[in-house]
Amino acid sequence: MKRGHAAPIGKGAKMKVSSMVVAIGFCVALLFAMEPRAASQGASDQVSLLKQSSIVFSGTVTQLGAASFAEVPKSAQTIVVRVDTVLRKPAAVSLKRGDNVTVEVKDPSAFHEGTRATFFTDGWIFGSGVAVKELGHQAIAAGEANVPAASESALGKAQEEAGKEELKQRIAAADFVVVARVTEIRKWNVPKSGQYRVTEHDPDWHDAVIQIESTLKGPKVKKNRLVVRYPQCNDVAWVHAPKFEKNQHGIFFLTKDEVSGKPTASLDGKSVMTYTCLSPGDWLPMSEEARVRAAVKSQS
Amino acid sequence: MTAPARFTSRFPWHLLLTVGAVAVFVLTVGFLSVRGQSPAAPAIKVINLIPASLSGETNQDSEPFLAIQTANPQVMVASAFTPNPVSSTGNAPVYVSQDGGQTWVLNAITPVQRMTCDITHAMATGESHPRGDLHAGTLACASSITLDESESNDVASSATMDVQSTRGNVDQPFVRALGVSSGDRIYVGVNDFNQQNGHTATVDVSVDGGASYKSIPIEARKTMGQDGPSVRPAVASDGTVYVAFFGWRKFDGKTATSDVVVVRDDSAATGANPFQVLKDPSDKLPGALVVKNTSIPWSNAPTLGQERIGSTLSIAVDPNNSSAVYVGWADKGNTGDIYTLHVRSSADRGATWSKTDLPRTTISNATNIALTVANNGVVGLLYQQLTNGRWVTHLVQSHDAFATSQDLALATVPANTPTEQFLPYLGDYDYLLSVGNEFRGVFCANNTPDFANFPQGVTYQRAADFLTKTLNDGSGNPVQISIDPFYFTVPVIQ
């Protein structure tokens, strides 16, 4: 759970894929069609800006030093922008053409009433309207369309880079990356000498014994078997951690168990170290195997 | 919101004008329905906290809490298990109102990433920040659960709360605060697994606005290895501090055999040996035993409807008479019950307690008890009861220790929908406070926009169509039902 993810977790994160794809494509196209000043930035910086932005839209500045709804503290850095086109937003956020958005900008002198721009932003305050913080912007010249034609290749590049980066981080953080099948599930009872605590956030630890079919990262393991300790509990603290069933087959990104308090288990009559994979995405289905193998190979 | 436009298309004006007074009535009700405002009496308000700009959200926003700024009760902060709406790496948010609860915004200022796993807070005003002095206790949903005790001097700003103290291996922080001229005094009840000898019931006390905290264990008796999760402080303006907790004597995995214990301090816990003054006559140890060896069912799985059970507890002190104190809890009470609430009282600073429950306060199959006492001595009791397949949220008021009472149903919603995303379903607690002649509180419930579910009326900020009883994302796209936090204000009976 310490790692970042490309998309937020939970129902609120269920972005509409099709609109997101179009939006990303458009954003990247915009970035590639920037004015000389902005275009002087490296392409990787531009994609990075796009990836940082949770809300991207084009619009027209209507007020300076103002706010679009009462609860936003207005300042010299806040401007009101009328939305012309929404390019990216989480599904939970209600934002559409014609809405007025408060933008806390980095440099107010870059804007005047009537300025048209694409705003790359992060969410700030959500009330009767939306207030955001500028991460970057790109001015739209007079006569230029609000939505230039999207670039399929640029879209593909941005999506691919985002996915690669997340996977790269996940692989780097893991002690083992293995293709394996769960052969046994057993409840792990904290030893009486251990720090067993009754709490609503009790993870209800279970051990999944996995049979390794292929090791993509990490040392060779005796008999190709490992014990993965995971929280079976549906408490708010653990709900997004991967849960396992017997015969579950997939790719495991494992780190040494630093959570359960006693990172050992019995396997084939011997005490072995336990591992965890607690973040969503630390277990992937076999359909992701080729992508993971390629990523591991590129890092080795 | 598009609701008014919808109204126009559903109710052609030329037809309405021809049917006279009846149509006018229909028009009025219909208009209010589509706007998400009921024709209920204006004094009672129930308001869905989800802002209009987050109309598309479908999170299980359970376990609500509320803080009201003492100096300016127009300023309030509420919380729930609401994630950062745009980022998995951004800060977990709180709800902020600056107009007495009429409108709320979501502001991501807590020090926890994405979403808290427990959060309570209080807004004393000893430090005189117009929109601040919010003191919060939060647990982070990380692989190791960590407590942060933090402060904001302006809840409307974008500044992340300042973490003043942090440590691990604790559970369920419960924050109360008292503003005094020298600064805020903060009391955080926690179940602290770092304490020795299983005496885990603890109060973290700060008498300097959170600059420093001292952890004070308050359990004096032998435990089964720990106390129950709920440790609840209540602070009176004269500096009397009560704390209630579950002293767990036995535990078999399904049932805790527990005492309900109350400790007291008469000098704001500023002395050398705080919380020692109230001794039980049975063993002369600190902590009055309100009830001994009661059986409390423990289930970290859906048990009462889709809710888990095991630790609901509340304590309240009369703000103008610190001798009068009330305690409520749930246990395995009545035969056939899953979970039974009880309320008892003391009129002598916790020295002696009513031997039986106060009238009409033995409540079947209910949880999330919250007690408070208004300025005129009226006791408020908030709870949620599973009744005939519905979660019914009650606010009961009494001026005579429940010999007589007024019982309002604030919400009555289906208990089987939506399906739980995680536990707790509604929360391990809700909350109730008094300010002036109002009771103000928060609870969580199924958010179907149906006036039949809210007998006192309701106002939605988020896009909702009360005619079709559906939610939408503000652009007309349907949004599924989920659990939302609701704020309410109810006049105190005279």
Side-chain angles (χ1 to χ4, degrees), chain A residues 1-16 52-55 69-74 89-97 99 104 121-133 195-205 233-240 258-260 276 278-279, chain B residues 1-2 51-60 81 84-89 98-99 103-108 113-118 131 139 141-145 156-158 169 171-172 191 193 195 200 224-227 229 248 251 298 300 308 310-311 420-424 428 473-475 477 480-482:
Chain A
M1 289 186 204
K2 288 175 180 170
R3 297 180 195 132
H5 301 281
I9 303 160
K11 288 192 294 177
K14 291 177 183 169
M15 299 183 75
K16 291 177 180 171
Q52 291 172 48
S53 303
S54 56
I55 299 174
F69 57 105
E71 292 83 359
V72 181
K74 63 182 175 185
K89 71 172 184 67
V93 175
S94 179
L95 185 64
K96 59 186 182 301
R97 179 184 172 88
D99 286 352
E104 187 183 73
T121 72
D122 202 8
W124 176 21
I125 296 174
F126 296 89
S128 56
V130 173
V132 296
K133 294 190 170 200
Q195 288 197 330
Y196 176 61
R197 301 301 187 189
V198 181
T199 157
E200 287 141 345
H201 301 303
D202 179 2
D204 187 15
W205 293 114
C233 176
N234 198 33
D235 174 76
V236 60
W238 304 104
V239 63
H240 297 299
E258 296 176 340
V259 184
S260 73
T276 57
L278 297 173
S279 297
Chain B
M1 292 208 211
T2 56
S53 59
L54 292 173
S55 291
E57 76 86 42
T58 55
N59 304 299
Q60 182 176 303
F81 289 142
N84 186 299
V86 298
S87 168
S88 60
T89 54
Q98 297 184 57
D99 58 7
T103 61
W104 295 82
V105 302
L106 199 69
N107 195 5
Q113 182 176 310
R114 186 181 172 264
M115 186 172 94
T116 63
C117 280
D118 263 342
R131 295 183 304 218
L139 292 186
C141 297
S143 53
S144 62
I145 292 172
S157 79
S158 59
N169 213 19
D171 191 19
Q172 211 174 101
N191 204 23
F193 299 128
Q195 297 288 3
T200 57
M224 51 68 68
Q226 67 171 86
D227 294 301
W248 277 8
F251 184 75
W298 176 267
N300 212 350
R308 68 184 177 192
S311 190
E420 55 124 350
Q421 298 174 24
F422 56 79
L423 292 169
D428 293 326
D473 66 356
S475 297
N477 301 307
Q480 68 188 49
I481 297 306
S482 61

Side-chain angles (χ1 to χ4, degrees), chain A residues 55-69 72-83 95 99-108 111 115 117-125 129-137:
Chain A
I55 299 174
V56 183
F57 61 95
S58 66
T60 305
V61 177
T62 58
Q63 295 179 74
L64 303 174
S68 55
F69 57 105
V72 181
K74 63 182 175 185
S75 71
Q77 280 189 281
T78 56
I79 64 173
V80 177
V81 179
R82 189 187 64 243
V83 174
L95 185 64
D99 286 352
N100 289 313
V101 174
T102 303
V103 183
E104 187 183 73
V105 295
K106 292 179 173 176
D107 177 11
F111 301 92
T115 298
T118 298
F119 292 87
F120 300 86
T121 72
D122 202 8
W124 176 21
I125 296 174
V130 173
V132 296
K133 294 190 170 200
E134 181 202 357
L135 300 174
H137 77 276

Side-chain angles (χ1 to χ4, degrees), chain B residues 474-488:
Chain B
S475 297
N477 301 307
V479 171
Q480 68 188 49
I481 297 306
S482 61
I483 298 293
D484 278 353
F486 291 81
Y487 164 81
F488 65 87

Side-chain angles (χ1 to χ4, degrees), chain A residues 243-262:
Chain A
K243 315 284 193 278
F244 298 110
E245 295 176 347
K246 191 175 177 182
N247 290 322
Q248 191 166 331
H249 193 209
I251 305 149
F252 296 73
F253 299 77
L254 302 173
T255 53
K256 287 175 185 168
D257 174 9
E258 296 176 340
V259 184
S260 73
K262 193 169 174 61

Side-chain angles (χ1 to χ4, degrees), chain B residues 197-265:
Chain B
N197 303 318
H199 292 177
T200 57
T202 300
V203 185
D204 286 2
V205 177
S206 174
V207 295
D208 54 12
S212 63
Y213 278 92
K214 182 179 179 185
S215 290
I216 302 169
I218 53 174
E219 172 67 275
R221 299 175 178 86
K222 186 178 179 183
T223 70
M224 51 68 68
Q226 67 171 86
D227 294 301
S230 302
V231 180
R232 303 289 191 248
V235 188
S237 55
D238 66 0
T240 302
V241 182
Y242 293 94
V243 187
F245 65 95
F246 289 120
W248 277 8
R249 309 307 169 207
K250 295 178 188 170
F251 184 75
D252 66 4
K254 293 181 178 175
T255 302
T257 302
S258 178
D259 299 336
V260 176
V261 187
V262 173
V263 297
R264 191 187 84 223
D265 193 90

